Every structure is written in structure tokens, then in C-alpha cells.
Amino acid sequence: MTNRIFVALCLLPLAVFSMAFLALPIVRLVQASGESAEGWGIYLQILQTPRYLQTLLQTVLVSFAVALTALAISTTAGLFLARNRFPGRGALLSILTLPLAFPGVVIGFLIILLGGRQGLFNTLLPGHVVFAYSLTGLFLGYLYFSIPRVLLTVMAATEKLDPSLEEAARTLGASPWRIVVDVILPGLAPSLVAAGAIAFATAMGAFGTAFTLATDIDVLPMVIYTEFTLSANIAMASALSVVLGLATWILLLVARSFAGTTVAAGG
Amino acid sequence: MTLTITNASKTYPDGTRALRPTSLTVGPGEILSLLGPSGCGKTTLLRIIAGLERPDPGSEVRFGDEDVTRLAVERRNVGMVFQSYALFPNMSVCANIGYGLKVRKVPAAELTRRVDEVLALCRLEDHAERPVTALSGGQRQRVALARAVAPRPRILLLDEPLSALDAALRDSLRDELAAMLRQFDITAVFVTHDQSEALAIADRIAVMSDGVMQQIGKPEELYRSPASAFVARFIGNAMPLPGRMEPGRLVLKGGVLPVPEAAGRSDVYVRAEDIHLDEDGPLQGTLETVSFSGGHYRLGIRDVVEDTLFATHPGRQAPAPGDRVRLRISPDDLVFLPQSGHMPE
Amino acid sequence: MHMTMPRVLQLAVTLLTAAFLIVPAIQSVLAGLTVNYFRGISSGLTLKWLGQVWELYAGSIALSMWLAVTCLAVTLVIGVPAAYALAKSPGRMSRVLEEFISLPLAVPGLALALALLQLYGSMQGFRTSWLFILVGHVLYTLPFMVRSVLAVLMAMDLRSLEESAATLGASSWTRFRTVVVPNAMPGILAGALTVVTLSIGEFNLTWMLHTPYLKTLPVGLADSYASMRLEIASAYTLVFFVMIVPLLMAMQWATDRAQRITR
């Protein structure tokens, strides 16, 4: 059928592009990771080298903390904004979703303006509070770009909740608190899992923020970067990239089986 | 344009037989209705005629003298009204109607003239420049029809054109559609599951079930002399009268009904409108339900046959549930079908 | 609004979060316009820093705009037909392909950049041209275009629309041009704005792929954060905000609009 040929033609540019610039490069990356003296043992080496292991652990912990905090904050704010109408709500919503497309470098800079040596806190408080270049700064930076994403997911999910469920609970005499626990949170759960996973995965792979801030914090993307550019340890950089990519991809795949939407990633 | 279908059948890759080999001919200007319950193959047959579905090898579709079986849909020059109307939401009423002419590269002046002509025929002049999303259901249906006929198709195909409308509108638009189709004078095939639509609009009706064409004929023929129990039930809701056939009489649970001698061994069917309350009637039963439907009462009667028998009663008053009633059925109104071998359920 | 205790708490969290997000952005805007940030606003307002940013980084800004436009063109040419093909073939292979091209959403840009560098790094002409960065940008933004268009196509009755166009005599290409594309417009628009916004802000891939002669806006930003005085870095950030914020708002408006259709 001619239409079948037309549809195949429509798919052709995509197939060519993703073959040349996605499939083949990934194959090459995996290949390159096994080209050092250790061969494929390099993946074992990651687990045996304290520096890499510690980096891995630290990255996971920071990302996990970011995901949890972003969920707590964004669910609170998201439910509030979705359920209440008041003057200034639109402006508030704009502010909260603004950082959606800020690259990580800019967010790093904004954190420096807050908690750097010449930052807001250090100027206002006499105690000389500098947190930008530490793990705290990194955590806040990641939080900065995670909040809008989680918030949008929560608000979209809230709008899809069936309001009659809440009304039913109310007619049955449930208190507002019970309604949140028994009706709203279970209804939001799939979206919250998905949003949390996105926040986690994005934090795991965030490079720009770490690049601007982390002069001496070992997080996975920074270690990959230094292995590649400074140490020229290409096999190790590739192996760590494969580990990082696989981890975030599998995590998002699992999370998506809980709920469907992916909010614009960036960072 | 005569439409001839020979041995058209359709088997899906999973082995489902949507349509068993079917042959039929639709004369020039004739309106044929494909009638049957959902899943009976009527839409498959329509889509085969349109070229939207590729039939099994051995099938043949001819428009006049031309064999179009292998012709792509866009070259068949058919007009089709879809169940959902499938109006292009990005275009105005005019642009929708002119679409078929535009893709055929009809010159602008000619296009405008033809669109205006069809707009007038379908009484859509006042809506010409409106977006189709702003139209009511009935208007959309007319735009869909206008769009299908504007390029002067060889065959007009309509897939459940009234089913997207609500019940009240459907009744009034049914007659309007019938009038418009006559006016176009195009060979038309019309798919519906609603017997009243088919009866009102079609010159001939093909009743289908389970991928098989059961009977084809004029509406009156199908109503008066159905060829099978399925057709009898589907057209006019005939009810079986299961009983013992004896020469000249049918012995039922609720009495003995006189039948013509010629009836022989056959299954007997009757329609609700042919059962009359009559104190001297030969049949007797107990009234179970009475529902008022405006012009008449619908009576559910127990004990005449195993199942409940329904009768329409035109009087101003009806007996009450629980009353014993006597019934009369004229032998002329009975439908006799060759015995199916087993008792119909 | 009736104020109860939980509501006050919710409002407080919302306001604090908003402050956390907006205060540093305001600081940055002010810093970019202040004569001397350490002495504060009292030192006076100036456009001097913006002028210096222009002198230093006009090339980067222009390159980013050029990349965004070409990236949009490429994602349109590849993404819109692909979304149509995916919508037309609902089989398992299509889902696998969709999943595959969405990898850049999940896999960090750094890893993708390393992969690209190792395969094409030795092709000097390509490696040092702007096309190499373009490939990275297309790789990253393409899934957004495909998904945005696909969502709208899946929400409309594509099959009936196409079939009716076909019965009216329209060929595959004519149907695509006159029925599919115009009706997918909300998705295309949302996808296009997302692509441009993300391309202008892309850093992770670009940082690895760029050469000293090809610095995009965010690469220039990183450069200025590392080596320029705070006022210039801030002024440059201000330029970036001026470019990205309207785009972001347009993107959200278009995405909302497209989502109303798909619901």
C-alpha cells in the first residue's frame, strides 16, 4: 500500500538520526569502557575503589534527599495553589515554575549569590554563613531546579483528581486532615512517585550546577568530567557514564510504569 | 452508476472472518441499506466498497464497468459520510465542502460555484464561513454529507450517519436525509443498525448478521416475508409462537390458533402490533405488565406461550396487570418460516 | 479565603519557596545593573556591565540564537513526520522506538556527550564545526518535539480524518500537509517553543561538545562565572533571563493549550 510506504518514509529521518547519533555513540561508549587494561573488570573496579564508591553513594544520597525535600515542599505548595484562588496566585505560580528552563550553571550562580562568599546570607548575617560551595549548596541548587518540575506534576495530578471523592469523604464525616491522608495522597501517589523519580534522576545526572559550585565535592558527573578531561582516563569516564545512564534510565522506566507524565527535564 | 460486489470477503490476520463471501448489486441511483447488529460485517463491507479495507483475494468490486478492487481509496471517487463525521476541525464549513474539489485541482471559480450549489442543496448557506467546531450535531451531519457529494462521487457511502445525534433530532433528520439522498440521485450504500432508519431511507435493505448477508429486498418484503428467524426478529421484532403444528391449527399453551392449511411444518412468528385484545379470541393469558407509550399501551402477557408475549393495544384504556385477557391473531398476520429444527429460544 | 492553621502553614511554605526561587534571581538582576554590587544600589545604576557583556559575548548570544533556530528546523523536519508515523503504527515496535529516542530525557547529557565525542571526536571537520553542537541539541530536544506532537495526534481521531480525506481524493502527502499538520499545530507549537527554550539553555552536552571558538550563551555564562567580576556575570545572566523568560512563559502557555486538547 502506498500509504504504508509514506509512513515508513516519515520515520526514516528519525531512524537515520537516532541510529547515527544515539545508537552508535552509545555502543561506542560501552565499547570504550572496556578498552582499558582492566577490560570489563573496570566495572568491578568502580565498586572496589573507595573514591568511586564514595562518590556513587554521595550522589545517590544527595539526590535522594533532594527528591524527598522537593516532594514535600512541592506537594504542600502544589495542593495549596491548586485548591485556593486568591489575588497574586498567578504571580506566585509563575515564580514557582520559572526555573524550569534555567540551565544548571545559572542555578549554580544563583546559589552563589545566596550563599557564596559575597552572597546574601554572608552579607546580612554577622556569623559569616558561606554554604554555596559545600554539599548544602549543591543540595539547594538541585532543589532549586527540582521544585518547579515536581510542582507542575503535582498540580496536574491534583486537577485530575475526582472532586466527588473528596465530597463523598466529607459527607461521610471525614476531617480535612483525614481527607488528605485517605483520599488526596493516595490519589496523587502515582504522580508523586513519578515526580520523585524524575527529581532523583535529574539530580543524579546534573552537571551544570555541580560544575559551577562544586570545587571540591565529588558527585558522579563531576568525577566523570575530571576523569575524562583532566586524567584522560577515558575508559573509566565511559564506564561511570554507562553506570550513571543505566541507573537513571532504569529508574525512570520503573517510575513511569507508575504514572505517565514526564515534565521537561533540563538542568 | 451501478455498484457490483462479487464474493467480497474479509479475513483479519488473526483469522477473524469479518465478512463471508457476499455478492450484491446496487442499481444506478438506488439507495441500499446494510442493516444489522454491531459486528455483523456491514461496516467492513462498506469500507471494502470505499477502498479503506483490502478484501480477501477473489473479491471483486465494480463501479459500472470498471473493476476498482485494486484501486486506492483516493482514486475511487467515492463520497463517504463517517459515523463521527470526521470534519476537518482546522477548516471552515466552506473549506470542508470544497476539500475534495481542491485536492482534485478544480479551478477556483468552478470550485466556488460547486460549493455554493451544494451549500444551497444542504441548506447550509448561512453557515458557510463558520468553523465546523461551532456547528450543532445536525448541521455537522449536513456538512459531512455536503462534503461527500460535492466532488460528484460515483458512489455515496454513509456509515451510521445518524447515530451521533441524540434521539429527538435523529427522528426529524431521518426524513430530511432521505429527502436529500433522493435529490442527489447518487447510488448510495447506507450502513445502520437501526431498522427504522433503514426502512425510512432505503429503496432496498440487505440484512446482515455474523458476516453473512441474510436477505436482501424491499423494506415491505423484508417486513412481510422475512426469509429467516433472524430477519423476522430484527425487522419489526417478530416473536416466536412455539407450539404444536397440526393441520389447520397451532396448539399453544394458551389456546389453539387457526392457521392456513398450507402452513405445514413451519415455525410461526407474530408481531406485537398484530396481536389484538378480543373477548372472543381463541387465546387466553394473564396480563403481566402494562406500560403506556403515548399512542398506545404495550401489554406483556403471560401463559399464552412460554415467554412473555407482547401486544400493542391502541385503546384509551387498558386492563390492569393480573387480569385474564383473551387474544385474537389474524392468520394473515402470521409469519411462517421453514422449521429451524430446534425450538427458537 | 478562610484561614485555618493548616492553610497558613501551606501558605508559609509556598511563600518561602517562592522567595527561595525569586530572591537570588532578583539579586542577579540588580547586580547586573548596579555600579558596584558590594557597595549596594546606593552606588548607582548603570548599563555599563550590559555593554561589556555585549562586547564580550555578542558572538555567544548570536551562536545560541542560530543554534536554536536550526535546531528547531531540524526537529521539525525529523520530529513531526516521525510523530505522525508513530501515531499511525500503534504496534510494539513504535513504542520501542519512541522509548529509544526518549533516552536523552533519562540519560544525563554528560554521558551522551562522551558517547558522541568518542565516536565522532576524530572527525576533525565535524568535531570543530557548529554542526557538532547542533547534533547534541537536536538529540536532546527531539523527544520533546516528537512527544508533544504525538500526544495531540493521539488525542484526535486521526484515522477518521485521514480516511475521510482519502475518500475525497487526497493522497498520503496531501493528507499529511492539509489535514495532519494543521490539526497537530497546537502540539507542534508547544514542541517548537520547548525546543527553542531548551536549546538556548542547554549546557551539559554543549559544554563537552563546544570548542574555544564556538561558545554558546550558557557556555559563555559558565565562563563569565569563573573568570569575570560579579557584575558582569550578573549582567550576562540578566541577558539570559530576558531571552529565556518570555520563551518559557510562551512555552507553558502553548503546552497548557496543547494539553487541554489531549485531555
Side-chain angles (χ1 to χ4, degrees), chain B residues 63-84:
Chain B
F63 290 177
D65 294 332
E66 191 193 350
D67 181 353
V68 297
T69 319
R70 313 221 132 257
L71 200 61
V73 48
E74 57 261 35
R75 302 186 183 190
R76 279 201 192 187
N77 193 12
V78 293
M80 183 149 171
V81 176
F82 287 76
Q83 187 167 10
S84 60

Side-chain angles (χ1 to χ4, degrees), chain A residues 12-255:
Chain A
L12 192 65
L14 180 82
V16 170
F17 181 86
S18 45
M19 179 52 81
F21 299 116
L22 188 55
L24 292 179
I26 288 177
V27 170
R28 177 73 197 110
L29 184 74
V30 175
Q31 218 178 20
S33 71
E35 279 173 0
S36 68
E38 288 87 10
W40 297 111
I42 198 163
Y43 289 95
L44 204 65
Q45 202 196 341
I46 295 176
L47 295 176
Q48 285 164 345
T49 313
R51 177 166 168 249
Y52 297 140
L53 202 60
Q54 207 187 335
T55 301
L56 211 58
L57 201 66
Q58 184 155 297
T59 314
V60 168
L61 284 180
V62 168
S63 307
F64 194 66
V66 167
L68 280 188
T69 317
L71 272 180
I73 292 176
S74 300
T75 311
T76 312
L79 277 176
F80 180 72
L81 289 170
R83 288 295 155 85
N84 296 292
R85 295 285 179 274
F86 52 90
R89 176 183 174 276
L92 212 47
L93 195 57
S94 302
I95 291 172
L96 288 171
T97 52
L98 205 60
L100 204 57
F102 288 5
V105 264
V106 171
I107 291 170
F109 179 64
L110 295 182
I111 296 299
I112 292 176
L113 285 177
L114 271 185
R117 274 178 285 278
Q118 295 135 12
L120 185 68
F121 280 83
N122 208 23
T123 347
L124 291 182
L125 298 173
H128 293 289
V129 195
V130 177
F131 52 75
Y133 315 102
S134 67
L135 210 55
T136 316
L138 201 65
F139 170 79
L140 287 176
Y142 288 178
L143 197 58
Y144 195 103
F145 65 65
S146 294
I147 285 173
R149 263 157 240 182
V150 182
L151 185 87
L152 280 179
T153 316
V154 170
M155 287 189 64
T158 312
E159 274 168 33
K160 277 182 199 152
L161 279 187
D162 181 1
S164 64
L165 285 181
E166 262 176 75
E167 287 163 4
R170 209 171 292 153
T171 60
L172 293 168
S175 66
W177 174 243
R178 283 239 63 96
I179 291 178
V180 169
V181 172
D182 294 337
V183 178
I184 298 179
L185 285 183
L188 292 181
S191 308
L192 293 183
V193 170
I198 292 166
F200 182 82
T202 321
M204 286 279 291
F207 171 61
T209 314
F211 181 77
T212 317
L213 291 178
T215 37
D216 53 358
I217 312 164
D218 278 344
V219 285
L220 202 44
M222 282 307 288
V223 170
I224 294 174
Y225 179 67
T226 46
E227 288 292 338
F228 187 76
T229 51
L230 300 181
S231 325
N233 188 351
I234 289 168
M236 184 47 85
S238 303
L240 288 171
S241 297
V242 169
V243 169
L244 178 61
L246 262 182
T248 50
W249 179 63
I250 291 174
L251 183 78
L252 285 177
L253 210 60
V254 171

Side-chain angles (χ1 to χ4, degrees), chain C residues 44 50 70 94 101 106 137 141 148 161 168 172 188-189 219 234 246 250 254:
Chain C
L50 281 173
T70 47
S94 312
I101 62 142
H137 282 213
T141 55
S148 176
L161 287 180
L168 290 164
S172 298
I188 297 175
L189 183 66
V219 170
S234 293

Side-chain angles (χ1 to χ4, degrees), chain B residues 47 50 52 73-75 77-80 82 84-91 96 99-101 103-104 147-148 151, chain C residues 156-157 159-184:
Chain B
R47 292 171 62 85
L52 292 169
V73 48
E74 57 261 35
R75 302 186 183 190
N77 193 12
V78 293
M80 183 149 171
F82 287 76
S84 60
Y85 304 145
L87 300 179
F88 306 127
N90 55 315
M91 300 177 199
N96 261 281
Y99 185 84
L101 299 165
V103 299
R104 284 179 176 83
R147 184 180 66 176
Chain C
M156 66 193 206
D157 191 359
R159 194 175 115 133
S160 291
L161 287 180
E162 266 214 81
E163 284 183 347
S164 66
T167 60
L168 290 164
S171 64
S172 298
W173 165 241
T174 310
R175 298 202 292 269
F176 181 73
R177 206 165 40 82
T178 58
V179 175
V180 178
V181 169
N183 286 302

